Amino acid sequence: MKALTAHMPRVRLGHAPTPLEPMRRLGEWLGGPRLYVKRDDCTGLATGGNKARKLEFLLGDALAQGATVLVTVGALQSNHVRQTAAAAARLGLACVALLEDKVDIASAAYQHGGNVMLDALLGARVLRYPRGTDMAAQLAAFCDELRGQGQRPYAVPMGGSSAIGNLGYVECARELAQQARDMGVPLTHIVLATGSGGTHAGLQAGMLALGLPVQVMGINIMGEVGAQAAMVWRQVQATLAQLDVVRPFDAADLRLMDGYVGDGYGLSTAAGMAAIRSVARLEAVLLDPVYTGKAMGGLIDLARRGHWSAEDHVVFLHTGGQAGLFAYADQMAAVASEGLQMKP
Ligand SMILES: *Cc1c(COP(=O)(O)O)cnc(C)c1O
């Protein structure tokens, strides 16, 4: 299968290919469809996750521009910020993390553990902002300030989602299609968590560019679904343009499922927590409360409601978040011990 991104500057940062594994026990428990997991929680870069693939292209661009310091934004427990700090450390660049107190959780684990602890450990300079701050504006202003001091900043967009960052998931589409072919898996569907949208858009653009009829389904984990869908669709177009590939893709063909966000971004849901527990006990795979738990909660709900047939081959893209899981220790405690030694 041809490399679609060979012409783009890239720095190897992650472990690839990540494994594609069957989830037999979860599939049996649900009574179909055939389930697999693409282990992008195993990409490396300080506990793994989907941002590693995006950062390979973003940092290729940063180095081509002679950057000396990475500046990025995210929520306090952002996995993206942690992997950006890790990438900076690997390449010997400085890193500034602008973190928004976006989620109303006061526990010590959330405020100081998980990703925010790792950001500091990896050497990032962490600056915190109150909820509601215009973080894109802060990012631009901070980069201007650094430039004024004679430094060469590179602004890494929120979630690493941009026409360049999304190329990481164009590459993942190619890698996954090749793996499925090698394993004799007739891949029909991919399910993943959709946040800033670049992972979803990159996979969709990649499948379109490869001409493969695989349905990419996002589970919305933040924001109003109409606006989110429009945002992801625009990113599909921008990513195709970046690839110099022309493919028709209707806004109506974008699959983004709603109903699994709960009270908002970063706030756990009962269905998400139950999904984390079930998948831990059935597959020994660790999900997180913000993204992959809610996405798996959606997959389980859709499977139970007969959304797929027993012949469908559904791949769950595990986008990581394991460091974030530990920030939710207080919320996890009750859930984790429930129903011990019984059926999931
Ligand atoms: C960032 C993130 C996502 C969402 O990816 P986007 O490209 O921002 O939509 C999903 N899961 C985890 C664990 C993440 O950190």
mmCIF file of all heavy atoms in Angstrom, residues 50-51 54 79-80 159 161 193-200 288 291-292 319-321, ligand 1:
data_model
loop_
_atom_site.group_PDB
_atom_site.id
_atom_site.type_symbol
_atom_site.label_atom_id
_atom_site.label_comp_id
_atom_site.label_asym_id
_atom_site.label_seq_id
_atom_site.Cartn_x
_atom_site.Cartn_y
_atom_site.Cartn_z
ATOM 1 N N ASN A 50 -2.904 8.775 21.084
ATOM 2 C CA ASN A 50 -3.009 9.129 19.670
ATOM 3 C C ASN A 50 -2.184 10.343 19.276
ATOM 4 O O ASN A 50 -1.896 10.544 18.100
ATOM 5 C CB ASN A 50 -4.487 9.339 19.284
ATOM 6 C CG ASN A 50 -5.180 10.423 20.086
ATOM 7 O OD1 ASN A 50 -4.715 10.819 21.160
ATOM 8 N ND2 ASN A 50 -6.300 10.907 19.585
ATOM 9 N N LYS A 51 -1.786 11.192 20.244
ATOM 10 C CA LYS A 51 -1.076 12.411 19.863
ATOM 11 C C LYS A 51 0.334 12.116 19.336
ATOM 12 O O LYS A 51 0.906 12.938 18.627
ATOM 13 C CB LYS A 51 -1.019 13.389 21.037
ATOM 14 C CG LYS A 51 -2.400 13.735 21.629
ATOM 15 C CD LYS A 51 -3.431 14.046 20.586
ATOM 16 C CE LYS A 51 -4.824 14.403 21.093
ATOM 17 N NZ LYS A 51 -5.491 13.470 21.991
ATOM 18 N N LYS A 54 0.309 12.280 15.525
ATOM 19 C CA LYS A 54 0.160 13.649 15.021
ATOM 20 C C LYS A 54 1.458 14.429 15.202
ATOM 21 O O LYS A 54 1.871 15.191 14.327
ATOM 22 C CB LYS A 54 -0.957 14.362 15.770
ATOM 23 C CG LYS A 54 -2.347 13.762 15.576
ATOM 24 C CD LYS A 54 -3.316 14.516 16.486
ATOM 25 C CE LYS A 54 -4.748 14.084 16.292
ATOM 26 N NZ LYS A 54 -5.662 14.907 17.116
ATOM 27 N N ASN A 79 -3.910 14.812 27.579
ATOM 28 C CA ASN A 79 -2.934 13.814 27.124
ATOM 29 C C ASN A 79 -2.071 14.391 26.008
ATOM 30 O O ASN A 79 -0.902 14.041 25.875
ATOM 31 C CB ASN A 79 -3.663 12.584 26.582
ATOM 32 C CG ASN A 79 -4.532 11.930 27.630
ATOM 33 O OD1 ASN A 79 -4.032 11.483 28.660
ATOM 34 N ND2 ASN A 79 -5.836 11.886 27.394
ATOM 35 N N HIS A 80 -2.682 15.270 25.226
ATOM 36 C CA HIS A 80 -1.948 15.908 24.123
ATOM 37 C C HIS A 80 -0.769 16.722 24.652
ATOM 38 O O HIS A 80 0.336 16.669 24.108
ATOM 39 C CB HIS A 80 -2.889 16.809 23.323
ATOM 40 C CG HIS A 80 -2.174 17.841 22.535
ATOM 41 N ND1 HIS A 80 -1.420 17.527 21.421
ATOM 42 C CD2 HIS A 80 -2.032 19.176 22.717
ATOM 43 C CE1 HIS A 80 -0.856 18.630 20.954
ATOM 44 N NE2 HIS A 80 -1.209 19.637 21.727
ATOM 45 N N GLY A 159 -4.922 19.699 20.781
ATOM 46 C CA GLY A 159 -5.134 18.312 20.375
ATOM 47 C C GLY A 159 -4.256 17.872 19.212
ATOM 48 O O GLY A 159 -4.386 16.749 18.730
ATOM 49 N N SER A 161 -4.570 18.804 16.338
ATOM 50 C CA SER A 161 -5.441 18.672 15.168
ATOM 51 C C SER A 161 -5.228 19.831 14.207
ATOM 52 O O SER A 161 -5.490 20.984 14.544
ATOM 53 C CB SER A 161 -6.907 18.625 15.605
ATOM 54 O OG SER A 161 -7.159 17.406 16.272
ATOM 55 N N ALA A 193 -13.103 7.773 19.812
ATOM 56 C CA ALA A 193 -13.540 8.987 20.510
ATOM 57 C C ALA A 193 -13.153 10.202 19.671
ATOM 58 O O ALA A 193 -12.021 10.292 19.195
ATOM 59 C CB ALA A 193 -12.864 9.076 21.876
ATOM 60 N N THR A 194 -14.111 11.134 19.504
ATOM 61 C CA THR A 194 -13.840 12.356 18.746
ATOM 62 C C THR A 194 -13.854 13.563 19.680
ATOM 63 O O THR A 194 -14.875 13.847 20.310
ATOM 64 C CB THR A 194 -14.892 12.544 17.629
ATOM 65 O OG1 THR A 194 -14.822 11.425 16.749
ATOM 66 C CG2 THR A 194 -14.648 13.816 16.849
ATOM 67 N N GLY A 195 -12.689 14.226 19.775
ATOM 68 C CA GLY A 195 -12.575 15.416 20.620
ATOM 69 C C GLY A 195 -12.280 16.627 19.763
ATOM 70 O O GLY A 195 -13.184 17.258 19.208
ATOM 71 N N SER A 196 -10.984 16.949 19.586
ATOM 72 C CA SER A 196 -10.630 18.065 18.708
ATOM 73 C C SER A 196 -10.753 17.666 17.237
ATOM 74 O O SER A 196 -10.619 18.511 16.355
ATOM 75 C CB SER A 196 -9.223 18.584 19.031
ATOM 76 O OG SER A 196 -8.242 17.628 18.703
ATOM 77 N N GLY A 197 -10.984 16.395 16.959
ATOM 78 C CA GLY A 197 -11.445 15.966 15.636
ATOM 79 C C GLY A 197 -10.398 15.461 14.651
ATOM 80 O O GLY A 197 -10.739 14.871 13.633
ATOM 81 N N GLY A 198 -9.129 15.703 14.941
ATOM 82 C CA GLY A 198 -8.096 15.371 13.957
ATOM 83 C C GLY A 198 -7.887 13.883 13.740
ATOM 84 O O GLY A 198 -7.546 13.450 12.629
ATOM 85 N N THR A 199 -8.088 13.090 14.781
ATOM 86 C CA THR A 199 -7.912 11.648 14.647
ATOM 87 C C THR A 199 -8.997 11.092 13.726
ATOM 88 O O THR A 199 -8.716 10.346 12.781
ATOM 89 C CB THR A 199 -7.975 10.990 16.037
ATOM 90 O OG1 THR A 199 -7.012 11.645 16.869
ATOM 91 C CG2 THR A 199 -7.667 9.510 15.972
ATOM 92 N N HIS A 200 -10.226 11.477 14.000
ATOM 93 C CA HIS A 200 -11.378 11.093 13.189
ATOM 94 C C HIS A 200 -11.171 11.548 11.732
ATOM 95 O O HIS A 200 -11.286 10.748 10.794
ATOM 96 C CB HIS A 200 -12.618 11.756 13.809
ATOM 97 C CG HIS A 200 -13.911 11.366 13.191
ATOM 98 N ND1 HIS A 200 -15.101 11.507 13.841
ATOM 99 C CD2 HIS A 200 -14.220 10.870 11.968
ATOM 100 C CE1 HIS A 200 -16.090 11.091 13.050
ATOM 101 N NE2 HIS A 200 -15.576 10.701 11.910
ATOM 102 N N ASP A 288 -9.950 5.198 29.662
ATOM 103 C CA ASP A 288 -9.940 6.393 30.522
ATOM 104 C C ASP A 288 -11.339 7.027 30.564
ATOM 105 O O ASP A 288 -12.131 6.825 29.648
ATOM 106 C CB ASP A 288 -8.921 7.408 29.979
ATOM 107 C CG ASP A 288 -9.483 8.163 28.785
ATOM 108 O OD1 ASP A 288 -9.677 7.552 27.718
ATOM 109 O OD2 ASP A 288 -9.777 9.363 28.933
ATOM 110 N N TYR A 291 -12.192 10.049 27.382
ATOM 111 C CA TYR A 291 -12.309 9.750 25.947
ATOM 112 C C TYR A 291 -12.709 8.287 25.680
ATOM 113 O O TYR A 291 -13.805 7.999 25.220
ATOM 114 C CB TYR A 291 -10.964 10.007 25.239
ATOM 115 C CG TYR A 291 -10.493 11.433 25.281
ATOM 116 C CD1 TYR A 291 -9.552 11.861 26.211
ATOM 117 C CD2 TYR A 291 -10.977 12.366 24.364
ATOM 118 C CE1 TYR A 291 -9.104 13.174 26.231
ATOM 119 C CE2 TYR A 291 -10.537 13.681 24.376
ATOM 120 C CZ TYR A 291 -9.596 14.078 25.313
ATOM 121 O OH TYR A 291 -9.167 15.373 25.329
ATOM 122 N N THR A 292 -11.783 7.379 25.947
ATOM 123 C CA THR A 292 -11.978 6.002 25.467
ATOM 124 C C THR A 292 -13.072 5.259 26.231
ATOM 125 O O THR A 292 -13.726 4.382 25.662
ATOM 126 C CB THR A 292 -10.656 5.220 25.544
ATOM 127 O OG1 THR A 292 -10.146 5.304 26.886
ATOM 128 C CG2 THR A 292 -9.627 5.794 24.594
ATOM 129 N N THR A 319 -7.300 5.196 21.747
ATOM 130 C CA THR A 319 -6.507 6.407 21.575
ATOM 131 C C THR A 319 -5.676 6.773 22.811
ATOM 132 O O THR A 319 -5.060 7.833 22.833
ATOM 133 C CB THR A 319 -7.446 7.573 21.194
ATOM 134 O OG1 THR A 319 -8.623 7.491 22.018
ATOM 135 C CG2 THR A 319 -7.864 7.480 19.737
ATOM 136 N N GLY A 320 -5.677 5.914 23.832
ATOM 137 C CA GLY A 320 -4.788 6.157 24.986
ATOM 138 C C GLY A 320 -5.518 6.695 26.193
ATOM 139 O O GLY A 320 -6.637 6.291 26.490
ATOM 140 N N GLY A 321 -4.870 7.604 26.906
ATOM 141 C CA GLY A 321 -5.499 8.225 28.067
ATOM 142 C C GLY A 321 -5.194 7.548 29.388
ATOM 143 O O GLY A 321 -5.809 7.880 30.412
HETATM 144 C C1 LIG B 1 -6.971 13.661 22.335
HETATM 145 C C2 LIG B 1 -7.579 12.350 22.642
HETATM 146 C C3 LIG B 1 -8.658 11.856 21.875
HETATM 147 C C4 LIG B 1 -9.351 12.650 20.821
HETATM 148 O O1 LIG B 1 -8.587 12.832 19.665
HETATM 149 P P1 LIG B 1 -8.886 14.108 18.772
HETATM 150 O O2 LIG B 1 -8.003 13.959 17.605
HETATM 151 O O3 LIG B 1 -8.599 15.308 19.618
HETATM 152 O O4 LIG B 1 -10.339 14.074 18.400
HETATM 153 C C5 LIG B 1 -9.133 10.594 22.155
HETATM 154 N N1 LIG B 1 -8.605 9.852 23.157
HETATM 155 C C6 LIG B 1 -7.595 10.303 23.916
HETATM 156 C C7 LIG B 1 -7.098 9.443 25.004
HETATM 157 C C8 LIG B 1 -7.042 11.568 23.679
HETATM 158 O O5 LIG B 1 -6.046 11.996 24.459
#
